[in-house]
Amino acid sequence: MPGRLLTALAAVTLASSGLVATGTAQASGKHPATSPADSPAASTASTAIAASATAVPRHAVTGYWQNFDNGATVQKLKDVDDAYDIIAVSFAEATGQPGAVTFRLDPAVGYGSADAFKADIKAKQAAGKSVILSVGGERGAISVNDAASAKNFADSVGGLMDDYGFDGVDIDLENGLNATYMTQALKALHERHAGVVVTMAPQTIDMQSPQNEYFKTALGIKDFLTAVNMQYYNSGSMNGCDGKVYSQGTIDFLTALACIQLEGGLDPSQVGIGVPASARAAGGGYAAPSVVNAALDCLTRGSGCGSFKPSRTYPGLRGAMTWSTNWDAANGNAFANQVGAHVHGLP
């Protein structure tokens, strides 16, 4: 899931609103004031959002499953730790048709047939998990930039959902995104699959302002968006919502950047913290489980904060994501055991 952003990007000037005006690929060398969410109106909105993805718990752990072997533990879906509520299968691939995607099992993961893979999807779903298809990655070359490619995207993703039984889609496009047509594509997909689970894994620079294309897409599908699990890594230092620059891998980086999304229009239930499962899983920005848990407590409870403390709490925060379940397994499932348990214990 590494991106390719430089520390220099943090020099972007903040707008008067306090926000900058202006994703997730194959990893390791190759998303105490009273909170607005506590108000009756916000509670109603949160309930409506949650109803669009009933399979996803209030606080969820997302993990990317690698459909390839890059040195991490090779897994089948049935091997993914039970702590993961949303499993994002990585990745769908572009076809020769603009916007359209396809999916092929890599022989390296050991499935003898597509039917065996589909059976594992059903087993995870029977255990209360959501299995979605991730589109993009660092090397993904999928472009949805007009009405025709938007239709192709929606049709192909919908077809793969029907064929494999996927619960939804993860948008992990790291080479640009057109908000107008991606929003159009995802709305068309939602019309076809009303309960679709939709997640996103933008890079930090993509969520610095509601005016950015990724952020606009998230806001454009807010009525059914499940979660934005921004990649808080491979980023270098970035601006927080208070206008200060924070270094990746720290609690302040996680909380001050999450604040931009939380105060920029997304419901707390649509915001998750995305981190590498180990130092080997990304080029930079690894945060130990204790740091991730402290950031979760800071945002949801107002406790355990670093130098940055949000002006309000967000008890409805969706949870956390990691790249990847495979790298987590190679690290003794530390993320699943420590962060997973903590997420499920949030208020």
Side-chain angles (χ1 to χ4, degrees):
M1 297 174 70
R4 293 162 292 286
L5 302 178
L6 301 177
T7 303
L9 289 172
V12 179
T13 303
L14 294 178
S16 59
S17 63
L19 302 180
V20 174
T22 331
T24 352
Q26 301 178 25
S28 185
K30 3 150 234 293
H31 152 206
T34 301
S35 167
D38 294 328
S39 68
S43 296
T44 300
S46 296
T47 300
I49 291 166
S52 70
T54 54
V56 179
R58 171 179 168 85
H59 298 301
V61 181
T62 301
Y64 285 79
W65 174 81
Q66 298 178 184
N67 179 42
F68 50 85
D69 179 5
N70 68 343
T73 300
V74 175
Q75 296 179 316
K76 292 184 178 178
L77 281 182
K78 64 182 180 181
D79 302 321
V80 173
D81 194 281
D82 191 57
Y84 291 100
D85 304 295
I86 303 174
I87 302 169
V89 171
S90 311
F91 292 102
E93 302 172 354
T95 70
Q97 189 177 28
V101 300
T102 188
F103 177 74
R104 301 180 183 86
L105 281 167
D106 189 326
V109 300
Y111 279 105
S113 68
D115 286 341
F117 177 68
K118 294 174 184 178
D120 276 2
I121 291 176
K122 289 181 179 179
K124 281 294 184 183
Q125 292 167 334
K129 315 301 180 183
S130 296
V131 182
I132 63 178
L133 181 62
S134 183
V135 176
E138 182 183 26
R139 302 175 186 176
I142 297 150
S143 180
V144 178
N145 55 16
D146 57 25
S149 56
K151 182 179 187 302
N152 292 340
F153 183 88
D155 288 347
S156 60
V157 172
L160 291 169
M161 288 178 65
D162 293 338
D163 185 9
Y164 285 89
F166 292 120
D167 294 290
V169 64
D170 170 69
I171 306 302
D172 183 15
L173 299 176
E174 300 184 11
N175 299 296
L177 181 151
N178 182 301
T180 299
Y181 294 106
M182 180 54 72
T183 299
Q184 181 177 307
L186 292 172
K187 285 185 174 180
L189 183 64
H190 179 251
E191 289 177 2
R192 178 172 171 178
H193 296 83
V196 63
V197 174
V198 180
T199 64
M200 296 182 175
Q203 298 173 101
T204 53
I205 192 65
D206 295 321
M207 298 299 288
Q208 285 272 285
S209 165
Q211 300 307 311
N212 289 5
E213 293 297 291
Y214 237 115
F215 211 136
K216 287 195 292 186
T217 302
L219 294 174
I221 61 166
K222 185 177 176 179
D223 59 334
F224 62 89
L225 171 67
T226 305
V228 174
N229 295 302
M230 189 175 74
Q231 301 176 48
Y232 292 75
Y233 51 95
N234 291 334
S235 161
S237 299
M238 295 295 292
N239 289 306
C241 67
D242 58 353
K244 297 180 180 179
V245 177
Y246 295 100
S247 299
Q248 63 180 356
T250 64
I251 182 174
D252 290 330
F253 189 81
L254 302 178
T255 55
L257 268 69
C259 171
I260 296 175
Q261 298 171 56
L262 291 162
E263 293 298 319
L266 292 181
D267 188 89
S269 68
Q270 297 173 321
V271 178
I273 295 175
V275 296
S278 72
R280 297 177 61 198
Y286 170 68
S290 60
V291 173
V292 179
N293 289 345
L296 292 169
D297 285 344
C298 177
L299 292 168
T300 60
R301 297 183 169 102
S303 62
C305 300
S307 62
F308 171 80
K309 185 172 183 177
S311 61
R312 67 187 78 213
T313 57
Y314 310 92
L317 192 79
R318 179 63 79 178
M321 169 276 278
T322 198
W323 176 268
S324 64
T325 66
N326 306 73
W327 283 114
D328 193 22
N331 196 39
N333 282 315
F335 185 91
N337 294 334
Q338 297 176 53
V339 178
H342 201 80
V343 166
H344 294 142
L346 291 174

